[in-house]
Amino acid sequence: MVDYHAANQSYQYGPSSGGNGAGGGGSMGDYMAQEDDWDRDLLLDPAWEKQQRKAETAANRICKVLAVNQENEHLMEDYERLASDLLEWIRRTIPWLEDRVPQKTMQEMQQKLEDFRDYRRVHKPPKVQEKCQLEINFNTLQTKLRLSNRPAFMPSEGRMVSDINNGWQHLEQAEKGYEEWLLNEIRRLERLDHLAEKFRQKASIHEAWTDGKEAMLKHRDYETATLSDIKALIRKHEAFESDLAAHQDRVEQIAAIAQELNELDYYDSHNVNTRCQKICDQWDALGSLTHSRREALEKTEKQLETIDQLHLEYAKRAAPFNNWMESAMEDLQDMFIVHTIEEIEGLISAHDQFKSTLPDADREREAILAIHKEAQRIAESNHIKLSGSNPYTTVTPQIINSKWEKVQQLVPKRDHALLEEQSKQQSNEHLRRQFASQANVVGPWIQTKMEEIGRISIEMNGTLEDQLNHLKRYERSIVDYKPNLDLLEQQHQLIQEALIFDNKHTNYTMEHIRVGWEQLLTTIARTINEVENQILTRDAKGISQEQMQEFRASFNHFDKDHGGALGPEEFKACLISLGYDVENDRQGDAEFNRIMSVVDPNHSGLVTFQAFIDFMSRETTDTDTADQVIASFKVLAGDKNFITAEELRRELPPDQAEYCIARMAPYQGPDAVPGALDYKSFSTALYGESDL
């Protein structure tokens, strides 16, 4: 308050209760002069008017500074909250992505794959946007602080942009390979299910064949047999050994499948191993018993003189033929798993080759049956009573005919199954080509856009607003391209649902496309933010459009590699061209080192265009300083070294007055009065020269 004593009356000036500040047309609003009871002669006093304008100017300056400080504090609080939320989401998500514990069943692994798809489609994209927006907010805040000569904002520990970037890198590192791991696990489980079923099928066939064989081999029937019976037993044993040898391959296949299941960590390996071990132990026992029985039979030197050669020939030819039919039936019913057209065509070709052998097999069958009929004809013509069965084999003509009929029925079924699989693989090939066709367009498009953005950020023609509008239109064109990625995602999902694991028609994977798209969105957003910050700098410093264009032209001229930053030598050449004395002498080097410490405080060895503009604007414009703010407060305080709460409330708008009162320390000088506040320490703290 300024008091003038005349005629025992006092006159006052100050803001009205609803005012927003003093000054003509400033952001603080219009102050209303209190005119009640004022002496008109005093109003005409030039000294009084000068003092009033001086107070109004001081109040204007303080309000402007405080408004900037309040806005910056709100931005800092928003940054801290957003950073905490994003880091917490990253902290919760990383352990989930790092969980690579395989499940035991296909359904469980497919559910994990579906959960991961939801994460990529639904949960992550908003977080990518939040991260990008957080960086933009941080850069904008730092620009505003720098423009207002405020100290740089230092987030609380653990919430720096670098901390967020480190967390994000950790997230993407955990995410990397997770989908590939899921698909490999699904493929492994599919292979395991196939192998396990194949093992059970072969084991069941073998166990059915071995049923009763040990008892037969242990039977001591030769001890009470006649000479003719013993001869028959020897021949029967030879046929059995032939059959036994034919089954050796199946036992080896069973053991090999069991070993593969163990190597692939099949969840029911214990039961598989137990069953396989039982089969192998039984096989060893059969071999030992077979050897022992042969030795016992060979002890008998007497042989039948009338050996039915036809029966023996029948048995020897029937056993391998019967084994061939069993193998054929097994192959015809064997499950198959293929992933390409070439693989299924290979199976079809092998099946066609098998079918080409059927006429020869049918002739062999008829020849074997003819042997049996000839034996019966001879017995009947010589009045020989046969026992009703061939003593050398259990494979009867009825069995041969029954199995042959079964083979004939299985062939068309196999044809149908192979054709169905061929159709499926043709459909899969169509999906591959469809995805590749789209990916081979989207991938290069993204790369082209990245290169164009880099070129635009360097060339920058027109006013900053024109550049900003151009970039935003460019950003909208990029966003409008998003349906093409959505279509590619749909095609990719169809490929995954069809369990297609490779695609030779394109070098682009969905993961590459996703990463490229995220980088493209981030790059255009950062480029737009850079231009916005340049506009803030221009407007705050009063730089003309012509100056901005000159700055850009000078910068681009010395940015030889178009990398968007100048090295020390390039920057020195640029300064020399602008008239700075930084030649290679002691004084020039000292001046250049001083300038480098300003434009490159982190000693990265690079000078960005934004840092270049900040430097040039500081060289050509003035800004508020702590001394100016102190001088303004001193005017409001009536030249005192302190100010009171009453004076602040009278001279400043309510919210800014309370802001000062809450933050000003008590004044400790010898001239202090009760309630005195230290406006000097408060002012220096606003510019980072002391602590509030």
Side-chain angles (χ1 to χ4, degrees), residues 439-537:
N440 288 337
V441 172
V442 173
W445 184 90
I446 290 175
Q447 181 62 33
T448 299
K449 293 303 177 185
M450 287 291 290
E451 293 171 357
E452 290 177 357
I453 292 172
R455 187 165 58 253
I456 291 172
S457 66
I458 293 174
E459 295 175 354
M460 288 297 184
N461 297 319
T463 67
L464 290 178
E465 284 75 9
D466 291 340
Q467 296 168 16
L468 182 62
N469 291 332
H470 178 59
L471 285 170
K472 288 186 176 179
R473 287 194 300 271
Y474 204 81
E475 183 182 39
R476 285 194 295 273
S477 71
I478 292 174
V479 173
D480 291 341
Y481 196 75
K482 182 63 164 55
N484 293 279
L485 270 83
D486 296 337
L487 175 60
L488 200 60
E489 284 284 5
Q490 295 170 6
Q491 294 170 349
H492 179 61
Q493 182 169 349
L494 292 176
I495 282 178
Q496 289 189 328
E497 290 172 351
L499 298 180
I500 299 173
F501 302 106
D502 52 23
N503 192 340
K504 65 182 180 181
H505 304 297
T506 181
N507 292 324
Y508 292 100
T509 66
M510 197 63 236
E511 181 64 23
H512 293 155
I513 297 294
R514 290 177 187 137
V515 171
W517 178 254
E518 291 172 1
Q519 290 177 346
L520 179 61
L521 292 178
T522 301
T523 299
I524 186 63
R526 285 174 176 168
T527 305
I528 289 173
N529 181 243
E530 288 176 2
V531 176
E532 290 174 339
N533 285 341
Q534 291 174 26
I535 292 174
L536 284 174
T537 302

Side-chain angles (χ1 to χ4, degrees), residues 314 317-318 320-322 324-325 357-373 395-408:
Y314 174 92
R317 293 179 68 171
F321 184 72
N322 180 65
W324 175 87
M325 287 192 297
T357 66
L358 291 178
D360 290 338
D362 192 32
R363 285 189 288 273
E364 174 67 9
R365 179 184 66 86
E366 291 177 348
I368 292 172
L369 295 178
I371 294 172
H372 177 75
K373 291 178 180 178
V395 181
T396 66
Q398 291 78 15
I399 291 175
I400 290 177
N401 286 330
S402 175
K403 291 184 178 179
W404 178 256
E405 183 179 353
K406 180 68 172 176
V407 170
Q408 295 296 102

Side-chain angles (χ1 to χ4, degrees), residues 162-208:
S162 59
D163 296 321
I164 294 171
N165 287 334
N166 290 337
W168 193 262
Q169 290 176 2
H170 191 184
L171 174 75
E172 294 189 331
Q173 186 65 31
E175 180 182 323
K176 184 177 181 182
Y178 185 73
E179 184 176 24
E180 181 181 356
W181 172 76
L182 289 173
L183 294 175
N184 286 338
E185 278 300 308
I186 290 174
R187 186 185 299 181
R188 183 181 70 84
L189 290 174
E190 183 185 35
R191 173 68 176 162
L192 283 176
D193 289 344
H194 170 71
L195 286 175
E197 182 58 29
K198 193 169 186 177
F199 173 84
R200 287 189 287 270
Q201 187 181 66
K202 287 184 176 292
S204 297
I205 293 173
H206 177 76
E207 288 165 348

Side-chain angles (χ1 to χ4, degrees), residues 190-245:
E190 183 185 35
R191 173 68 176 162
L192 283 176
D193 289 344
H194 170 71
L195 286 175
E197 182 58 29
K198 193 169 186 177
F199 173 84
R200 287 189 287 270
Q201 187 181 66
K202 287 184 176 292
S204 297
I205 293 173
H206 177 76
E207 288 165 348
W209 177 83
T210 58
D211 185 36
K213 294 296 189 292
E214 285 191 26
M216 181 269 291
L217 292 172
K218 292 178 180 179
H219 193 208
R220 305 176 69 86
D221 50 351
Y222 53 84
E223 293 180 350
T224 57
T226 64
L227 182 60
S228 59
D229 293 335
I230 289 175
K231 291 295 183 179
L233 290 175
I234 290 174
R235 299 298 181 268
K236 183 177 180 181
H237 192 69
E238 289 175 352
F240 172 77
E241 286 178 327
S242 176
D243 204 7
L244 186 70

Side-chain angles (χ1 to χ4, degrees), residues 14-22 27-32 63 651-655:
S16 63
S17 60
N20 292 322
S27 62
M28 299 304 299
D30 296 330
Y31 276 90
M32 303 297 294
C63 290
E651 303 294 347
L652 298 177
D655 60 333

